[in-house]
């Protein structure tokens, strides 16, 4: 872990400081709502444009939106089901296995102070 | 053999004759029995007889071992050289036709003469070398100790 | 008669190449005797002659590598009466190997001979070396059966002498040379008896002519006996197991340069003679010949591959180990030969070449080690890999090639050999080839381990440059011919085809009427 | 002059040079510049068979340049340069030599015009790449590398067998389109399939890539699998079974990726899923579908490398790569986070990003050829991609709950490498014509139609919305320390236990017989030494007479054989 932990947000790089907005209370909700609004707008646009897909179902209004939403939900629940069956401890393949070990620190920049270009 | 005076005198006389005979055999080899090999042996015999009757040192004064070595090599060079000369004239190796282009059978004579000379020289050299090699070997047990 | 013709076409230097191949080293030998007082001069003449021979052999090979042949009539006497030199892909390839190895060994020999042979004998040594070299070339190049015998004797006699030259270092070289002399003479005698029997039945000595005259009388017992004599006689020169007994001592006690040269060439030439007689003079269709190869040569070849390898594994002297390994490797060549098909022959031809350069590297390396370590016993070369990194590294390359690791010349020949065995349907034989390669791994590992994984027994400098450079050129050749197989495989395949096509193209169309040379008769 | 050198040799020379040049800036620069030269060479090479070689009577084609091989060769050279730029800080000779050899082998394989050359380079990629894993220098990495090597070399062996069978059958070693049918073609197909991580043959990928070094993974992600895609596109285009294999490949990794904790393993699963799209394109086999495969491989190499780079940069700065330990890093690594987001948007195929213009080609072709179910699966997978690569990677690494770590921003050279890659991702997304122009066949496709853009945005935004809903309601699976068993359990767990049991049984039997056999072996060795050792009967110096006797015997036997037969 880096010893150069900036004491306050002021030490952060400019871009980083700008991005801290997302962690402010309420920002998440704002983002979520913005996304919802954007989706709604897309649905409206979808109504307006003409579509000539290879399959008829593609031309159905909001098909992609519904498909995308359902797909995502399927993925999440499918993954949860899979986790139920496939989950193992990290030392399942033995204490020496690759899954168990941390990346050797001497090959990272963590222990080296001044290798930054 | 210091006291065999007759032998010594006769040998001295004969040596010259033997050499002469060797030359005869050498140069008549292509028409009559004989040739380079026989001539070479006869030639060597002259020196061997001399060495036997007098002694090795005397013989080697006349014909040092070094020279005998070189003679052996020289003869081969004469033989091979003949072939090379015929090649230089644009003929195949040892094609004696080269020596008298208009008249191949005459060329043949010249060629055989040259080649036989080479044989004779080599045989002389080799015979003497072998003789010297055997006689100059110092026995590990000297004659007196037998 | 030949001499009665008027010669109208002047031969150019180019036409004279076949004879020059032989004449240059052959005349260089007496020349060394006549002028070679100092060692430097003697060496220089020998080297220049060898270099010239190498250049000539390359020119010759280039002319015949795609098939076809050159014929040269000595003294203008047409075959079958006269002696004919006949060069096709088979012997051009071998000439290339012999003169190439000689040209590489001679620079190496300069220092090695200086250290191992007394000063006064050195000019004589180079003379004998050149004679041996010329003799081997002569055996290879000639198309006359008796001429083969003559040159065989020239090379053998000079070989006995140069092996005996090792006596300055180890007196056992004398007995080794003497044993070889006795055995070699017996071998040559057998060979000449075989020739005599053939001459008795055919009245000719020209190989092509012989082939034509033998073909109609294969049931003749005399001819069959002649074949047996020739095979056994040449088998001794080849060192077919169990006729190899002269070889270990001769190779061990000969001067290093001589061993390197002989191991790479002498037995190969004998194999060539066997090939020539088995395929060109006799024809592979003869039943008795097939039986001989299948029932006698093949088992002994396999025996050699294993027994000699085992002996090599247990040796304590590197040079002697390599000598035994040579016997094992000869087994591979004979194996390819006894397959009696085109790919088998190609394997034999390519192994002749590849094993030649491989052994040249190894024996030269041993020579360099001997120069610095005093002897080639494992005990004294221990750890020399660190003291002599260049030499040792080249020897590792040679060792890899000996095993047949991909990327080295040795791999190519074993690969082709295994393929040939498959082609013939002899799976067990292919398996045995691979198995015996494992034994090679063991003995190669032994010397690599000795060279590298021990504390050096003594301080030693790297071998002189005149040794390291030829060793490395040869080592790189091992790698080069392991990757680029253009020259070797083309030559070997052409050679195999030439040999298998039997006597066609060898014999003059009508021997007696064509006794006159091509020129017009003058009277 | 450059034309006459096969591109692969440039890389091999680079590998050798890297050994000679001292560690540091000079070497790093060399490793960046030479791939660029190679890229320029590939760009300018004329089409045709540029380096024919004859080996053992086989006609090898070391450089077959056509539009298909050129596009793969080009992206391979490019990514080699970018990967090496990313690895500028390295002072590890093993990796710096292995990477060029690996890249060179892959490029050589792409330009191989015959199967034998392909085989050599195929094995070359296997052998060179394993060093990128072993360079991690831990026991776990060593074992993983060994497993990886066995599978990769195994693929080569099967390929060799297939080539031999095919050669025996047809007498040709040309690497052209094949039809499945004979055992030989099936072997080749299978070998390609292993490297392409077909379902159930895939596990080496997820096993090995997270185990490699930070920079090694970036390089690894580019070559092996895409080489397999190229080989399939060259050899088996239009093979129908590939459509279904591809569809399954796009699906199953999604679920694994979703619950995987190791970020680089998530990306490996995602890689596998993306390969599925390419395989479907190959299976469809039309000119446009192959264009789609090539385009997708091209952009995928870029954005997958970008994602591996950003995760690698985090790993480099924090030493951690597990989702459960990361989070909130955007504060101090905002640029890395931005680049990661660009990569995520690209892989999710947002309009104006490179994934959009490539994936569309394949989807369009699957639909155009009436593979309705496959098409549905691919669209499903597109939403799935968003879930792990689009959301999970950036969100749980750089946002989500704050891990408290405040590492420095990634080193400058990494930022430059990521910046260039990100720029390329966007550039290609905005100007698809540049990529379409170098595809194997003429492209007549316009990705930016209103229907397509809106449809794609709908798909993605509603999927995002679903994520929002699930995450905010706590239904999104939590990031926890665990691993998930995959098909590798067969050879990592089941097989070893079977072997273990068998070993115990055998060892019991062995114990009983060991003494007996030890004595036997000892006896044999002693016997061999006694007979073949220096003093043994076989090796002793024999009297000359014995030898003469042998001659006589041999002559007698030979004569007997000749006369009797």
């Amino acid at each position: 872990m880096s010893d150069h932990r900036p004491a306050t947000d002021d030490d952060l790089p400019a871009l980083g400081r700008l991005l801290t907005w997302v962690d402010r209370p309420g920002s998440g909700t704002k983002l979520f709502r913005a996304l919802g609004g954007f989706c709604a707008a897309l649905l409206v646009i979808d109504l307006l444009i003409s579509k000539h897909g290879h399959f008829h179902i593609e031309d159905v209004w909001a098909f992609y939106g519904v498909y995308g939403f359902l797909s995502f939900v399927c993925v999440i629940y499918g993954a949860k089901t899979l986790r139920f069956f496939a989950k193992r401890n990290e030392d399942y393949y033995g204490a020496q296995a690759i899954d168990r070990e941390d990346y050797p620190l001497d090959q990272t920049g963590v222990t080296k102070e001044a290798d930054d270009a | 053999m210091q006291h065999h005076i007759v032998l010594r005198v006769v040998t001295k006389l004969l040596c010259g004759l033997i050499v002469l005979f060797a030359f005869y055999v050498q140069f008549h080899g292509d028409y009559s029995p004989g040739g380079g090999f026989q001539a070479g042996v006869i030639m060597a015999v002259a020196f061997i007889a001399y060495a036997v009757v007098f002694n090795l040192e005397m013989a080697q004064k006349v014909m040092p071992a070094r020279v005998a070595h070189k003679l052996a090599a020289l003869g081969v060079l004469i033989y091979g050289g003949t072939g090379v000369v015929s090649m230089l004239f644009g003929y195949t190796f040892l094609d004696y036709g080269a020596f008298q282009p208009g008249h191949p059978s005459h060329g043949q004579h010249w060629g055989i003469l040259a080649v036989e000379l080479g044989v004779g020289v080599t045989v002389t050299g080799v015979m003497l070398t072998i003789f010297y090699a055997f006689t100059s070997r110092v026995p590990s047990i000297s004659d007196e100790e037998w | 008669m030949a001499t009665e013709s008027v010669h109208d076409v002047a031969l150019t230097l180019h036409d004279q190449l076949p004879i020059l191949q032989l004449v240059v080293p052959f005349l260089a030998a007496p020349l060394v005797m006549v002028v070679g007082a100092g060692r430097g001069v003697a060496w220089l003449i020998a080297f220049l002659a060898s270099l010239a021979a190498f250049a000539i052999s390359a020119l010759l090979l280039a002319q015949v590598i795609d098939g076809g042949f050159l014929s040269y009539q000595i003294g203008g006497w047409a075959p079958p009466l006269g002696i004919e030199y006949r060069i096709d892909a088979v012997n051009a390839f071998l000439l290339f190997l012999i003169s190439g190895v000689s040209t590489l060994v001679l620079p190496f020999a300069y220092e090695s001979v200086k250290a191992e042979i007394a000063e006064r004998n050195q000019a004589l040594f180079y003379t004998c070396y050149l004679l041996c070299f010329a003799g081997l070339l002569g055996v290879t190049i000639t198309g006359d059966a008796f001429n083969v015998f003559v040159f065989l004797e020239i090379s053998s006699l000079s070989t006995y002498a140069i092996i005996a030259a090792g006596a300055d270092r180890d007196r056992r070289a004398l007995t080794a040379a003497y044993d070889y002399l006795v055995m070699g003479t017996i071998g040559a005698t057998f060979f000449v008896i075989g020739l005599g029997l053939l001459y008795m039945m055919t009245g000719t000595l020209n190989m092509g002519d012989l082939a034509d005259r033998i073909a109609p009388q294969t049931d003749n017992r005399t001819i069959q006996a002649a074949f047996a004599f020739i095979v056994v006689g040449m088998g001794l020169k080849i060192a077919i197991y169990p006729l190899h007994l002269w070889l270990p001592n001769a190779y061990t006690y000969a001067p290093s340069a001589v061993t390197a040269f002989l191991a790479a060439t002498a037995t190969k030439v004998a194999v060539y003679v066997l090939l020539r007689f088995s395929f060109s003079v006799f024809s592979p269709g003869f039943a008795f010949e097939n039986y001989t190869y299948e029932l006698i040569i093949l088992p002994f070849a396999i025996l050699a591959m294993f027994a000699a390898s085992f002996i090599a594994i247990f040796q304590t002297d590197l040079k002697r180990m390599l000598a035994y390994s040579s016997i094992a490797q000869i087994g591979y060549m004979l194996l390819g030969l006894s397959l009696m098909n085109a790919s088998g022959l190609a394997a034999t031809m390519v192994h002749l070449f590849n094993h030649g350069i491989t052994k040249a590297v190894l024996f030269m390396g041993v020579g360099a080690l001997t120069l610095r370590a005093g002897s080639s016993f494992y005990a004294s070369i221990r750890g020399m890999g660190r003291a002599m990194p260049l030499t040792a590294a080249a020897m590792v390359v040679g060792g890899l090639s000996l095993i047949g690791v991909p990327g080295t010349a040795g791999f190519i020949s074993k690969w082709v050999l295994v393929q040939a065995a498959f082609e013939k349907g002899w799976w067990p034989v292919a398996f045995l080839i691979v198995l015996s390669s494992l034994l090679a791994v063991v003995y190669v590992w032994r010397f690599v381990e000795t060279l590298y994984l021990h504390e050096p027994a003594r301080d030693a400098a790297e071998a002189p440059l005149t040794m390291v450079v030829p060793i490395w050129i040869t080592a790189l050749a091992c790698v080069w011919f392991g990757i680029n197989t253009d020259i070797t495989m083309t030559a070997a395949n052409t050679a195999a085809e030439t040999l298998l096509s039997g006597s066609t193209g060898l014999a003059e169309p009508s021997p007696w009427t064509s006794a006159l040379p091509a020129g017009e008769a003058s009277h | 002059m450059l034309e006459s050198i096969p591109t692969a040799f440039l890389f091999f020379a680079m590998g050798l040079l890297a050994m000679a040049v001292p560690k540091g800036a000079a070497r790093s620069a060399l490793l960046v510049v030479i791939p660029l030269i190679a890229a320029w060479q590939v760009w300018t090479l004329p089409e045709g068979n540029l380096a024919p070689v004859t080996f053992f009577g086989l006609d090898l084609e070391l450089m077959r340049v056509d539009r298909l091989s050129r596009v793969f060769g080009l992206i391979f050279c490019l990514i080699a340069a970018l990967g090496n730029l990313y690895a500028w800080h390295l002072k590890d000779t093993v990796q710096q030599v292995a990477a060029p050899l690996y890249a060179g082998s892959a490029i050589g394989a792409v330009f191989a015009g015959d199967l034998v050359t392909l085989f050599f380079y195929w094995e070359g990629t296997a052998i060179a790449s394993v060093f990128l894993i072993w360079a991690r220098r831990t026991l776990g990495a060593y074992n993983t590398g060994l497993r990886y090597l066995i599978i990769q070399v195994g693929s080569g062996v099967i390929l060799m067998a297939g080539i031999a069978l095919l050669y025996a059958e047809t007498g040709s070693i040309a690497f052209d389109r094949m039809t499945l049918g004979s055992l030989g073609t099936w072997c080749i197909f299978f070998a390609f399939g292993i490297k392409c991580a077909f379902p159930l043959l895939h596990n080496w990928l997820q096993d090995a890539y997270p185990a490699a070094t930070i920079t090694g993974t970036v390089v690894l992600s580019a070559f092996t699998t895409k080489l397999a895609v190229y080989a399939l596109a060259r050899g088996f285009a239009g093979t129908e079974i590939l459509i279904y294999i591809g569809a399954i490949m796009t699906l199953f990794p999604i679920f694994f990726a979703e619950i995987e904790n190791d970020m680089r393993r998530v990306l490996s699963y995602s890689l596998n899923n993306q390969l599925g799209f390419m395989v479907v394109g190959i299976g469809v086999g039309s000119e446009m579908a192959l264009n789609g495969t090539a385009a997708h491989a091209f952009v995928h190499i870029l954005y997958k490398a970008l994602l591996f780079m950003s995760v690698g940069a985090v790993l480099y700065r924090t030493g951690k790569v597990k989702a459960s330990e990361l989070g909130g890093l955007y504060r101090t690594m905002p640029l890395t986070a931005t680049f990661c987001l660009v990569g995520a948007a690209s892989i999710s195929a947002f309009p104006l990003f490179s994934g959009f213009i490539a994936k569309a080609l394949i989807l369009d072709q699957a639909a155009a050829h009436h593979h309705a179910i496959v098409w549905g699966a691919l669209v499903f997978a597109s939403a799935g991609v968003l879930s792990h690569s689009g959301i999970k990677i950036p969100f749980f690494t750089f946002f989500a709950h704050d891990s408290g770590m405040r590492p420095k921003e990634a080193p400058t050279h990494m930022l430059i490498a990521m910046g260039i890659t990100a720029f390329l991702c966007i550039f290609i997304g905005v100007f698809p014509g540049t990529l379409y122009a170098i595809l194997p066949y003429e492209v007549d496709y316009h990705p930016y139609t209103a229907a397509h853009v809106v449809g794609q945005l709908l798909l993605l935004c509603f999927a995002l919305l679903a994520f929002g809903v699930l995450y905010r309601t706590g239904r999104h699976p939590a990031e926890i320390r665990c691993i998930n068993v995959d098909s590798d359990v067969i050879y990592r767990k089941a097989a070893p236990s079977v072997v273990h049991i068998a070993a115990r049984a055998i060892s019991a039997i062995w114990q009983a017989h060991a003494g007996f056999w030890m004595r036997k072996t000892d006896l044999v060795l002693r016997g061999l030494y006694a007979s073949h050792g220096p003093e043994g009967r076989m090796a002793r110096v024999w009297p000359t007479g014995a030898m003469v006797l042998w001659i006589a015997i041999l002559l007698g036997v030979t004569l007997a054989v000749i006369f009797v037969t």
Side-chain angles (χ1 to χ4, degrees), chain B residues 69-70 72-74 76-77 79-81 84 86-97 101-105 108, chain C residues 3-7 9-11 16 19-20 23 26-27 30-31 33-36 72-77 124 522-523:
Chain B
H69 276 87
K70 307 233 153 167
L74 188 68
V76 178
L77 277 180
Y79 195 127
V84 173
S86 70
M87 282 162 70
L88 291 181
F89 284 111
Y91 286 64
T92 58
F93 188 69
L94 286 178
D95 188 340
Y96 307 134
H103 205 309
S105 53
Q108 197 76 292
Chain C
T3 47
E4 299 309 311
S5 65
V6 172
H7 193 96
V9 184
L11 298 176
Q16 304 279 16
I19 190 73
L20 282 175
V23 162
F26 203 81
L27 288 187
L31 198 64
M33 274 281 270
V34 172
V35 302
Y72 188 92
Q73 302 167 1
I74 304 289
W77 295 76
L124 276 172
S522 65
H523 24 230

Side-chain angles (χ1 to χ4, degrees), chain C residues 82-114:
Chain C
I83 293 169
E84 178 199 19
Y85 284 3
R86 177 177 284 265
I87 294 134
D88 56 19
V90 191
N91 51 12
F93 189 41
L94 209 63
L95 293 171
F96 183 70
L97 170 72
I98 300 168
S99 49
V101 168
S102 169
T103 309
L104 284 169
V105 165
L106 274 170
F108 166 85
Y110 185 77
E111 289 289 335
S112 170
V113 165
K114 194 160 76 173

Side-chain angles (χ1 to χ4, degrees), chain D residues 119-165:
Chain D
F119 163 75
F120 276 105
Y121 285 125
W122 195 264
E123 291 287 40
T125 58
I127 293 161
S129 58
V130 74
F131 288 97
L132 296 174
I133 299 167
W134 282 340
R136 178 161 163 171
R137 299 187 173 85
T138 63
L139 186 63
Y142 174 74
N143 288 330
T144 305
L146 219 51
R147 287 197 292 274
Y148 169 82
L149 187 65
I150 290 169
I151 294 171
Q152 296 292 311
V153 170
S155 152
V157 171
I158 296 171
L159 177 63
M160 185 75 245
I163 294 170
L165 287 169

Side-chain angles (χ1 to χ4, degrees), chain D residues 324-357:
Chain D
S324 53
E325 298 173 336
L326 293 171
L329 297 180
Y330 71 88
R331 292 177 181 81
T332 51
M333 303 180 79
L335 287 172
T336 311
T338 312
F339 294 140
C340 184
L341 280 170
V342 172
S346 298
I347 196 171
S348 313
F350 273 99
L352 298 182
F353 290 93
S354 57
F356 178 72
I357 62 121

Side-chain angles (χ1 to χ4, degrees), chain D residues 420-502:
Chain D
I420 296 173
T421 319
F423 168 76
L424 287 173
C425 285
I426 298 173
F427 180 82
I428 294 172
V430 177
F431 302 104
T434 48
L435 176 60
Y436 288 172
I438 60 168
L439 292 181
Y441 304 101
E442 201 69 34
V443 177
D444 179 28
Y445 181 76
H446 302 286
Y448 289 110
T449 60
H452 185 206
V453 171
V454 170
Q456 183 72 7
L457 280 176
L458 270 174
L459 181 79
L460 294 174
C461 290
F462 271 87
L464 270 176
L465 200 64
F467 168 73
V469 171
L470 291 173
Y471 187 71
R472 289 169 71 84
T473 52
R475 291 191 173 85
H476 194 270
E479 304 309 316
I480 47 176
R481 288 196 74 113
C482 68
I483 61 164
N484 304 296
V485 290
D486 196 344
S487 62
D488 58 345
V489 73
I490 296 166
Y491 58 83
R492 289 181 70 186
K493 199 79 182 180
S497 10
V498 171
V499 169
H500 191 67
I501 295 165

